[in-house]
Amino acid sequence: MNQSNSAVTRDPITWGELKNNLKQNPDLHLQFQYEEGRFVDNSYHITEIKQAPIVSVDCGGVMNSWTEVIVQLWEPSVKEADRSMKVGKALKIIELVEKSLPLDPNATVKIEFGNSKFDTRQMYPGEFVADGETFSVNLVPDFTQCKALTRNQSCGTSPADASCCAPAAVKQELELVASDATCCEPGSGCC
């Protein structure tokens, strides 16, 4: 299976979608590509799975809410050369977690990872690739956005107000015209 999902061109992958893709490939070795050609070491562990309800207020005063499921990966300092996690083992960890914490199938999924050469960050699963004996989850960077742009560049204020994201208005230069008369003298007519 080769399924391409870009976080920029489509909605982020949900927890339910990730689990369904994993269930289709239980006997394959699970890999995570965090940069082009760079994979999390095979000896990684899934250290925790977090569910985070997010409630925010954006720059226009509009409240937003969503849920994220964050899967944290860790590379041990001592690599275990013969260790490689199969998808089936990851599914058992997920099952164990969900016995205590029911995870929202519609939640956005993020994978949290870092090592000595790659700062810890949260990334989106962008593409799933089943190839030979491996099932790879190719990760794409998280991104920031201005939600006001999705509201016709309005920050939730009145339509007459300028958007915080709109281009700055062009200021017209004023030209001072010199006059022979001294300004602001009684009877000069300048005031």
Side-chain angles (χ1 to χ4, degrees):
M1 172 180 70
N2 185 352
Q3 179 183 10
S4 181
N5 299 307
S6 172
V8 176
T9 59
R10 79 174 226 55
D11 290 334
I13 291 172
T14 66
W15 180 245
E17 289 172 310
L18 176 65
K19 277 180 45 178
N20 286 338
N21 277 284
L22 293 175
K23 286 178 182 178
Q24 294 172 26
N25 299 281
D27 297 324
L28 299 182
H29 295 272
L30 182 58
Q31 293 185 327
F32 293 90
Q33 179 177 252
Y34 59 92
E35 281 186 335
E36 186 65 36
R38 294 178 74 188
F39 292 84
V40 176
D41 188 81
N42 284 342
S43 62
Y44 75 87
H45 294 241
I46 295 175
T47 56
E48 68 181 6
I49 299 176
K50 307 175 243 192
Q51 182 164 254
I54 310 292
V55 178
S56 72
V57 177
D58 65 34
C59 60
V62 176
M63 186 174 286
N64 302 279
S65 64
W66 66 94
T67 301
E68 295 178 354
V69 170
I70 302 145
V71 179
Q72 185 180 76
L73 306 179
W74 171 72
E75 287 182 349
S77 56
V78 177
K79 309 294 186 226
E80 301 167 33
D82 295 337
R83 186 184 189 283
S84 176
M85 186 178 299
K86 287 198 172 184
V87 173
K89 180 175 180 181
L91 287 167
K92 287 180 182 173
I93 294 168
I94 290 168
E95 184 180 312
L96 178 67
V97 168
E98 289 189 321
K99 283 181 181 177
S100 299
L101 177 64
L103 298 172
D104 180 353
N106 297 313
T108 299
V109 175
K110 290 186 176 177
I111 307 297
E112 185 174 77
F113 171 74
N115 62 23
S116 62
K117 296 176 184 169
F118 187 77
D119 290 337
T120 300
R121 65 189 77 175
Q122 294 178 358
M123 298 165 280
Y124 292 107
E127 181 179 38
F128 302 122
V129 179
D131 184 23
E133 294 183 8
T134 63
F135 181 77
S136 296
V137 179
N138 296 335
L139 304 174
V140 295
D142 195 352
F143 55 91
T144 60
Q145 65 179 350
C146 177
K147 290 179 177 58
L149 291 176
T150 63
R151 294 188 310 267
N152 298 321
Q153 295 188 347
S154 169
C155 289
T157 56
S158 69
D161 291 344
S163 168
C164 71
C165 302
V170 177
K171 293 182 180 178
Q172 185 176 4
E173 296 272 337
L174 296 178
E175 184 179 325
L176 294 176
V177 177
S179 142
D180 290 340
T182 33
C183 186
C184 296
E185 290 183 9
S188 69
C190 73
C191 300

